[in-house]
Amino acid sequence: MTPIISLSDIQKHYGDYHALKGINAEILAGEFFSLLGPSGCGKTTLLRVIAGFEDVSSGVVMIDGHDMRAVPANKRPTNMVFQSYAIFPHLSVAENVGFGLRKSGLATQAKATLIEDALDMVGLGGYGQRRAHALSGGQRQRVALARALILKPKVLLLDEPLSALDKKMREQMQGELRRLQRHVGITFILVTHDQEEALIMSDRIAVMFEGEIAQMASPQDLYRRPVSRQVAEFIGVMNFLGATVLDEHPGKLSVEIEGIGRVQIATDQVTPGAGGKTGVVGIRPEALTLLYDQPAQGRSVIGVVEDLAYYGDMTYYQMKLDGSDKIVTVSMKNLTSRPVLDRGASAQVGWDEGALVLFGAV
Ligand code: ATP
C-alpha cells in the first residue's frame, strides 16, 4: 500500500523545549491511524504539523507524494475536527456543514445536495434547518464531521474529537466514526490519550512518549508484544515478575520467573531491551487462569485471593502466589458453572506460556 503521509525526522522546538524528537512514520492511504500517548507527549503538535498549523524546526512532511514545506494549511489536502467542535451556534446545521463551500463557486442546488449527502453520512439527514445550538454534544460532533468531510479531504485529522462526550455517547460515536471511516475510505488520523479508544478504532497506533514514537503497530501487536514496559503499562494492565535467564537455546530461552518457576520463552517474546541475565517478565491478567478444582499440574502454582473486583461479566482477582511476595492480577470470565471465589480462598493459578513477554531489567 502507498503511504498517503510520510514523516521524515520531524523535529519541533518551542524555544528551549524539544516537543518532537525525530518522528519517522508512514501512514497508509485508507488507514485509521491513531496517535496515542499521555498528556504532553506531543501528539497534538504532530497532528498540527501534518495540518500545517505548526511549522517544523526540521524534517519533511510529505502528503500524497508532495513536499508540504511551502504549502500552507488551507492548501493542504487535509481537514481537522477539533475537540471543541468549533461549530457556529447561531447558524443552522446546513449552514454549518456548507461553510467550507462558500467560495466553491458551486450552484445553490449542488451545494444543498452535497450538504444533505454529508448529513446523511453522519446520521443527521433531515436536521439541516435546525439551529446548531439546539443540538446535543454527539449531534454537534457529527455536524463538525460532516463539515470536514464535505470538502473531500484526503486525510481527516481528529484531535480528541470524542473527549467532551459522556461515556455512552462516546462509545456510540466510536463505532460510528469507525463505520464512517470505512464507508468514505479516507485516511483518518486520531489523537487520543484513551488507550481503549485507540485499540477499538485503529488499524495501527503510534504510541508516543516525550516527543518520540515508542512503538507503531496494529492494536493486537501492541497489546500482545509491547516493545517496552512503558508501552505495556500504558496499554491495558500487565503483571510484572522478576526473571532470570538460565539458558539460551536456538529459538528460545529458559527463564526462572518469580512466583511461577521455570518456563520456556520463545525469542519472539523477548523485547529488544532484554539482553542480560536478569529481566522482567510481563503477563496480562487474562493470560493467567484460576484452575479451580482441577488437580495441580506442573504448569501451575497455588495462589490465595487477597482481593477481588466483581464487574458482572468478569472478576479481577488479586492473587498472592505461593512462595513469593508477589501479588498478580488474574481476570476470569464469570460463568454460571464457575463460582466467584472469596477473599482468603486458594486456587491453582495457571498461565499461557506463549503470552509471556520478557523485558530488560530496567
Ligand atoms: P494533550 O493530550 O495534553 O493535548 P499532547 O500530547 O497533545 O497533550 P502537545 O499539545 O502536543 O501534547 O504538547 C507537547 C508539549 O509541547 C507540551 O509540553 C506542551 O506544553 C508544549 N507546547 C505545545 N504547544 C506549545 C506552544 N505553542 N509553545 C510552547 N510549548 C508548547
Side-chain angles (χ1 to χ4, degrees):
M1 275 242 250
T2 36
I4 186 92
I5 293 188
S6 166
L7 306 171
S8 308
D9 198 17
I10 303 292
Q11 306 273 350
K12 175 69 186 174
H13 294 268
Y14 291 113
D16 289 344
Y17 188 75
H18 200 174
L20 296 176
K21 303 173 184 166
I23 301 288
N24 291 292
E26 291 199 330
I27 299 166
L28 304 180
E31 221 179 0
F32 199 123
F33 190 89
S34 294
L35 297 170
L36 171 68
S39 184
C41 71
K43 46 196 192 301
T44 298
T45 301
L46 185 56
L47 200 72
R48 292 173 60 81
V49 159
I50 295 169
F53 297 140
E54 209 67 76
D55 290 332
V56 294
S57 307
S58 66
V60 181
V61 175
M62 304 275 289
I63 303 183
D64 205 18
H66 299 286
D67 188 331
M68 290 290 123
R69 268 175 290 200
V71 183
N74 61 358
K75 295 278 186 298
R76 295 191 180 192
T78 55
N79 212 337
M80 188 118 152
V81 176
F82 298 92
Q83 177 181 344
S84 56
Y85 319 141
I87 61 172
F88 304 113
H90 56 286
L91 296 184
S92 71
V93 166
E95 285 164 341
N96 265 287
V97 172
F99 198 76
L101 299 177
R102 281 165 307 148
K103 294 179 189 156
S104 63
L106 287 172
T108 311
Q109 188 51 45
K111 280 192 222 170
T113 306
L114 283 177
I115 291 168
E116 202 44 51
D117 287 351
L119 285 174
D120 278 343
M121 203 155 59
V122 297
L124 283 182
Y127 277 69
Q129 296 320 308
R130 279 259 193 118
R131 294 283 122 189
H133 65 75
L135 297 175
S136 71
Q139 289 168 334
R140 282 178 205 209
Q141 192 52 285
R142 280 174 219 199
V143 171
L145 277 168
R147 189 179 57 185
L149 287 169
I150 205 170
L151 299 170
K152 305 225 175 347
K154 292 198 166 117
V155 180
L156 191 66
L157 306 168
L158 302 124
D159 190 3
E160 305 250 11
L162 308 181
S163 61
L165 304 176
D166 65 41
K167 187 169 181 288
K168 250 215 148 86
M169 178 53 78
R170 194 182 168 111
E171 284 170 2
Q172 189 188 331
M173 284 298 289
Q174 285 169 351
E176 285 190 19
L177 209 52
R178 188 68 182 109
R179 279 191 292 280
L180 183 65
Q181 190 270 338
R182 288 207 187 103
H183 175 70
V184 294
I186 293 171
T187 307
F188 278 28
I189 306 181
L190 173 78
V191 158
T192 181
H193 62 268
D194 180 338
Q195 45 102 12
E196 210 170 83
E197 182 163 294
L199 290 177
I200 293 169
M201 297 176 76
S202 318
D203 294 313
R204 277 192 314 147
I205 301 170
V207 180
M208 293 182 66
F209 297 117
E210 295 176 16
E212 291 178 288
I213 293 179
Q215 187 170 3
M216 195 156 45
S218 69
Q220 286 199 37
D221 285 348
L222 261 188
Y223 189 80
R224 293 182 54 244
R225 294 283 183 266
V227 294
S228 66
R229 273 185 75 168
Q230 198 179 20
V231 172
E233 280 171 329
F234 196 72
I235 312 271
V237 177
M238 197 169 228
N239 296 296
F240 296 104
L241 301 164
T244 309
V245 177
L246 304 173
D247 294 306
E248 289 192 36
H249 312 282
K252 63 183 181 201
L253 303 178
S254 180
V255 178
E256 177 78 25
I257 303 177
E258 172 190 12
I260 281 187
R262 187 185 271 238
V263 299
Q264 303 286 331
I265 292 186
T267 41
D268 75 340
Q269 294 165 249
V270 178
T271 63
K277 269 273 163 230
T278 57
V280 172
V281 157
I283 185 159
R284 299 284 186 194
E286 68 278 10
L288 293 168
T289 316
L290 300 189
L291 299 171
Y292 296 95
D293 296 333
Q294 293 175 35
Q297 306 171 0
R299 288 175 53 193
S300 66
V301 290
I302 288 276
V304 174
V305 178
E306 288 275 315
D307 208 349
L308 67 148
Y310 175 79
Y311 282 85
D313 59 337
M314 305 283 292
T315 302
Y316 283 77
Y317 294 97
Q318 300 298 318
M319 301 294 295
K320 185 177 171 308
L321 301 180
D322 200 23
S324 137
D325 294 335
K326 204 68 199 178
I327 293 179
V328 292
T329 304
V330 180
S331 65
M332 293 299 290
K333 204 170 166 59
N334 292 326
L335 304 174
T336 43
S337 57
R338 214 180 244 175
V340 174
L341 299 184
D342 290 327
R343 276 185 204 87
S346 55
Q348 294 283 330
V349 179
W351 55 88
D352 172 2
E353 211 158 270
L356 302 169
V357 184
L358 181 63
F359 300 103
V362 281

